[in-house]
Amino acid sequence: MASFNKVILLGNLTRDPETRVTVNGNTICKLGMAVSRVYSTKDGERREETTFVDIDAFGKQAEVITKYMRKGRPLMVEGRLKLDQWETNDGQKRSKLGVVLENFQFVGGRDDNDSSGGSGSGGGYEQSSPPRRESKPAASQDFSAEGDTLDEDVPF
């Protein structure tokens, strides 16, 4: 019998990631995500439903998520469904469907209030870009052999 277990979610974290390290040195990160769906009823009324999903991340991915993500930040997650089953102290059987993270993508820009985003002087695109080149007008550029920095001749 064929089967396929893949989930792709885009939503906002409902709490800061909770991280712990096992005695073997493995990093485990638990996070909650809210995923919303907007739809219209037969009467034309617009409604929104929100689903809350628990996600488990492991290893280096768990460390990166812990470092950069906070409550309310958007995140795209790819993973697989996993059914957790347990028995309570009073003997009741419980189960919960969750997601095991396999891949993720940060969504949106950097938060200006985030202390991990550089020097704190505005951050953003300009700060992470390479330095600007001084451009000369085309008439003043030197294309002679003396100013040529190429090691080989281009045949055109």
Side-chain angles (χ1 to χ4, degrees):
M1 174 172 66
S3 65
F4 186 69
N5 185 358
K6 181 125 182 148
V7 176
I8 300 174
L9 300 171
L10 176 63
N12 295 326
L13 296 191
T14 59
R15 61 184 184 268
D16 286 349
E18 301 168 11
T19 304
R20 63 185 175 92
V21 179
T22 66
V23 292
N24 296 336
N26 299 325
T27 305
I28 301 172
C29 175
K30 296 188 173 288
L31 49 134
M33 180 181 283
V35 181
S36 295
R37 172 180 170 255
V38 178
Y39 64 97
S40 296
T41 64
K42 291 180 183 178
D43 301 331
E45 181 184 353
R46 186 174 178 262
R47 289 195 181 167
E48 180 177 0
E49 71 178 14
T50 303
T51 303
F52 298 94
V53 182
D54 290 325
I55 300 170
D56 295 331
F58 300 93
K60 186 68 172 170
Q61 292 177 323
E63 294 171 15
V64 172
I65 288 172
T66 301
K67 182 175 180 180
Y68 293 106
M69 295 303 293
R70 297 288 172 259
K71 177 181 177 178
R73 301 287 310 267
L75 185 68
M76 187 190 84
V77 169
E78 292 181 53
R80 66 182 188 276
L81 293 175
K82 182 175 185 247
L83 182 65
D84 292 326
Q85 297 176 327
W86 70 96
E87 193 171 308
T88 63
N89 292 337
D90 59 348
Q92 291 184 335
K93 290 188 176 187
R94 300 285 180 149
S95 63
K96 178 178 74 168
L97 194 58
V99 173
V100 175
L101 183 136
E102 293 176 346
N103 198 5
F104 71 94
Q105 181 72 46
F106 294 124
V107 180
R110 288 186 179 177
D111 185 9
D112 288 339
N113 298 328
D114 188 8
S115 61
S116 64
S119 65
S121 61
Y125 178 75
E126 280 99 23
Q127 189 173 12
S128 64
S129 298
R132 293 181 184 218
R133 283 195 231 181
E134 300 276 334
S135 63
K136 299 177 185 176
S140 68
Q141 290 182 350
D142 183 15
F143 292 109
S144 66
E146 295 144 12
D148 190 6
T149 59
L150 293 176
D151 293 331
E152 56 185 289
D153 290 330
V154 181
F156 57 83

